[in-house]
Amino acid sequence: MEAPSQQVTPRKQPPIPWLNSMATEPFYLLHLLAFFSYFAARRAACHDLSADFSHHLLRREIQAVLALSVLLAMKFVKEENWEGFIADGIFYAKGFLLAVCLVIDYRLSLCYLFAFIVIFVVSQQPPYDGLGSCTELTPFQLESILAEGNTGRYWLIELRASTSLSWVRSSRVFAELSNVYSNKNLSFGVIDLGRYPNAASLFGVSLWGQIPTYILFDKSVEAVRFPDITFEAKPFASLNISKRLLCEHFELDRHLVEYLSK
């Protein structure tokens, strides 16, 4: 019988992890190049323009920076995940960049719009790569664990796929919850349906709109899931996953109290 895969040993972190991601991840690197190229494009486009237009453009740039700063500050307060904050921050920055480019020349704005579309096609925001106290499983391994019943009574499983923007935005939530609530009675596991797409139907999950999905198994029986099996995602909308939502939906505090009271 195939044994559950062991938790991955954390990789050695670079001295400045964010700087390392910016330099090595195509998603971040391409966006940085696009944003910094504005200064060269601005210099070339405004070289022969009047001083009045330059002052007008500068005012618009200052307004855009202030508006972006306010939006980012509001998002920083509301968003609990760094991945979600970064995704929204980059989206807002692209919108303001396109608006400022329209002041210079609509053709410049179209060039940036095309560049952002290319970046969207060729790269993807990297998810949080930590597992916390989760066990990485295959569908067969989960089936074997539930059938044998040798582990704790409850298993909370996250069904994920790297192609899901909703999961990327909330990719650190499950790992951080597992660090707090994992115990001998409640185990946390993850299954990557991107690797096993044929297994999606076994869990009653659609890869389009229902990822991530969280299922709590009581012994070998499904007890609770989120979102519901009848859930249908709205176009251009993402699941809003938070620690508080999962804690309340799966009553994780109650499970922890039950374990500690034994």
Side-chain angles (χ1 to χ4, degrees), residues 201-234:
S201 59
L202 299 177
F203 298 101
V205 172
S206 170
L207 291 176
W208 304 103
Q210 291 185 330
I211 297 294
T213 287
Y214 304 89
I215 303 177
L216 179 66
F217 290 95
D218 183 350
K219 296 183 178 178
S220 60
V221 179
E222 177 181 327
V224 189
R225 76 159 56 198
F226 179 85
D228 293 334
I229 197 169
T230 58
F231 173 80
E232 293 184 4
K234 298 179 180 179

Side-chain angles (χ1 to χ4, degrees), residues 32-48 57 61 97 101 104 108 112:
L32 282 177
L33 292 175
F35 290 140
F36 280 108
S37 69
Y38 169 75
F39 297 103
R42 182 190 191 278
R43 182 180 179 86
C46 299
H47 182 71
D48 297 326
L57 175 60
E61 290 172 337
L97 179 59
C101 288
I104 301 175
L108 179 60
Y112 273 105

Side-chain angles (χ1 to χ4, degrees), residues 25-59:
E25 293 289 349
F27 178 84
Y28 296 129
L29 182 59
L30 292 175
H31 276 99
L32 282 177
L33 292 175
F35 290 140
F36 280 108
S37 69
Y38 169 75
F39 297 103
R42 182 190 191 278
R43 182 180 179 86
C46 299
H47 182 71
D48 297 326
L49 298 178
S50 64
D52 290 339
F53 181 83
S54 297
H55 290 305
H56 172 71
L57 175 60
L58 180 60
R59 288 195 296 270

Side-chain angles (χ1 to χ4, degrees), residues 75 78-92 124-128 158 161-174 211-212 214 236-242:
K75 197 66 183 177
K78 295 180 179 180
E79 184 64 59
E80 69 175 31
N81 305 313
W82 278 111
E83 286 74 21
F85 174 75
I86 293 172
D88 288 336
I90 291 177
F91 178 78
Y92 297 150
Q124 181 183 358
Q125 181 181 359
Y128 176 68
E158 178 187 59
S162 60
T163 55
S164 169
L165 297 181
S166 296
W167 175 71
V168 171
R169 290 175 59 92
S170 59
S171 53
R172 70 173 57 235
V173 169
F174 197 70
I211 297 294
Y214 304 89
F236 306 106
S238 59
L239 286 171
N240 186 19
I241 305 297
S242 66

Side-chain angles (χ1 to χ4, degrees), residues 86-223:
I86 293 172
D88 288 336
I90 291 177
F91 178 78
Y92 297 150
K94 290 189 287 189
F96 283 113
L97 179 59
L98 293 176
V100 171
C101 288
L102 278 175
V103 178
I104 301 175
D105 191 328
Y106 76 92
R107 291 171 294 185
L108 179 60
S109 186
L110 289 176
C111 288
Y112 273 105
L113 178 60
F114 177 76
F116 290 142
I117 292 174
V118 172
I119 293 175
F120 176 79
V121 172
V122 303
S123 66
Q124 181 183 358
Q125 181 181 359
Y128 176 68
D129 60 357
L131 275 177
S133 298
C134 300
T135 303
E136 198 167 14
L137 302 170
T138 67
F140 175 75
Q141 288 172 339
L142 175 62
E143 183 180 0
S144 300
I145 290 173
L146 297 177
E148 293 174 358
N150 294 330
T151 57
R153 173 179 176 180
Y154 298 101
W155 271 90
L156 182 55
I157 301 297
E158 178 187 59
L159 304 176
R160 59 169 62 172
S162 60
T163 55
S164 169
L165 297 181
S166 296
W167 175 71
V168 171
R169 290 175 59 92
S170 59
S171 53
R172 70 173 57 235
V173 169
F174 197 70
E176 293 181 352
L177 282 178
S178 71
N179 289 330
V180 177
Y181 293 100
S182 179
N183 55 65
K184 293 182 179 179
N185 198 44
L186 175 62
S187 302
F188 287 71
V190 297
I191 296 179
D192 188 352
L193 292 183
R195 297 180 182 178
Y196 313 101
N198 294 332
S201 59
L202 299 177
F203 298 101
V205 172
S206 170
L207 291 176
W208 304 103
Q210 291 185 330
I211 297 294
T213 287
Y214 304 89
I215 303 177
L216 179 66
F217 290 95
D218 183 350
K219 296 183 178 178
S220 60
V221 179
E222 177 181 327

